[in-house]
Amino acid sequence: MTKSNLPFLTHGGATLSDRDIKVALEAKYFEIESPFPLNIQPSSIDLHLAPTILIFPRVRKGNPIMDLKEPADQFVEYVEIPKSGFVLHPREFLLGATSEWLKLPKQLCASVDGKSSLGRLGLVIHSTAGFIDPGFVGHVTLEITNLTEQPLRIYPNIPIGQIRFLVLTSEAENSYGSAILGSKKYKNTYSLNPKPIASQYWKNLK
């Protein structure tokens, strides 16, 4: 596959339009799999909330302090969002995952943003990690918070965000997960019910 086949690759820093997203998908330049029909917006693709979430229970026993040098497993718990919904309390934080599975090439990165209609309800879907490196493979983890003073009910499989694709000036020399970068590659393999993964930051401090 050459840049002449995909002219947008000559425009470093550009965001793919809906036309170029369709061209890239048709050429299998990048891949996105979803249990729902793809809803391609003018410069993005809609993302859905997978039913399995990872919550931080308010009441717990044992050590009350999360330590960056230790696994966070004891502080989190998997929950399936029922059809009747899950109540996200004021300033409550949880981890979700996209129903969509993504595979990026070396010259595309991506950015995940919330939907404006949900933002107006105080629902944010990422705190700091809305950027996706070239070479990423898997489901995108969502950092979901209710910023309001009112409880908010969320539902499984709802459209919750959108993903944009940006062209690098050239192919990345080292893509996401490369051993030379000291990165840990946490795979979230494709399934209709993907699960978010708790922070693995502690592995970087060992």
Side-chain angles (χ1 to χ4, degrees), residues 53-73:
I53 56 177
L54 198 58
I55 67 170
F56 293 73
R58 294 181 175 221
V59 179
R60 62 177 308 280
K61 297 179 181 179
N63 189 348
I65 300 174
M66 285 194 289
D67 189 329
L68 293 183
K69 291 186 177 182
E70 300 295 334
D73 296 354

Side-chain angles (χ1 to χ4, degrees), residues 5 15 19 28 35 37-38 64 72-73 80 82 85 100 115 133 138-140 142 145 153 157 168 170 194 202:
N5 300 124
T15 300
R19 294 183 183 184
K28 297 188 182 301
L38 290 183
D73 296 354
E80 296 292 318
E100 286 72 23
K115 299 187 75 65
D133 273 313
H139 296 270
V140 179
L142 304 174
T145 306
R153 194 183 305 273
N157 305 316
L168 277 67
S170 62
W202 61 277

Side-chain angles (χ1 to χ4, degrees), residues 7 18 31 35 54 59 68 72 74 78 80 96 101 104 111-112 117 122-123 127 141 151 172 176 182 192:
D18 51 359
E31 298 178 49
L54 198 58
V59 179
L68 293 183
Q74 61 176 311
Y78 282 110
E80 296 292 318
W101 173 92
L104 289 182
S111 176
V112 173
S117 54
L123 185 70
S127 301
T141 299
Y176 176 84
L192 295 181

Side-chain angles (χ1 to χ4, degrees), residues 40-191:
I40 300 176
Q41 301 290 347
S43 60
S44 65
I45 299 177
D46 279 350
L47 299 173
H48 297 78
L49 176 62
T52 305
I53 56 177
L54 198 58
I55 67 170
F56 293 73
R58 294 181 175 221
V59 179
R60 62 177 308 280
K61 297 179 181 179
N63 189 348
I65 300 174
M66 285 194 289
D67 189 329
L68 293 183
K69 291 186 177 182
E70 300 295 334
D73 296 354
Q74 61 176 311
F75 294 91
V76 295
E77 176 183 328
Y78 282 110
V79 170
E80 296 292 318
I81 306 176
K83 290 183 179 180
S84 57
F86 176 88
V87 175
L88 189 62
H89 293 281
R91 296 172 301 283
E92 189 171 11
F93 174 82
L94 61 83
L95 295 179
T98 61
S99 299
E100 286 72 23
W101 173 92
L102 180 67
K103 183 177 181 180
L104 289 182
K106 286 188 173 184
Q107 202 175 338
L108 280 189
C109 60
S111 176
V112 173
D113 295 299
K115 299 187 75 65
S116 63
S117 54
L118 294 178
R120 296 174 197 186
L121 295 172
L123 185 70
V124 298
I125 65 167
H126 71 76
S127 301
T128 62
F131 178 78
I132 306 172
D133 273 313
F136 174 85
V137 179
H139 296 270
V140 179
T141 299
L142 304 174
E143 303 153 339
I144 300 172
T145 306
N146 174 9
L147 296 179
T148 74
E149 297 297 326
Q150 304 298 323
L152 180 65
R153 194 183 305 273
I154 60 176
Y155 296 89
N157 305 316
I158 58 171
I160 199 166
Q162 52 200 334
I163 185 167
R164 293 177 293 146
F165 303 92
L166 300 96
V167 180
L168 277 67
T169 53
S170 62
E171 287 192 355
E173 183 177 3
N174 298 298
S175 57
Y176 176 84
S178 295
I180 194 172
L181 301 177
S183 301
K184 309 293 193 303
K185 197 166 186 179
Y186 315 118
K187 293 184 178 180
N188 192 349
T189 55
Y190 178 61
S191 70

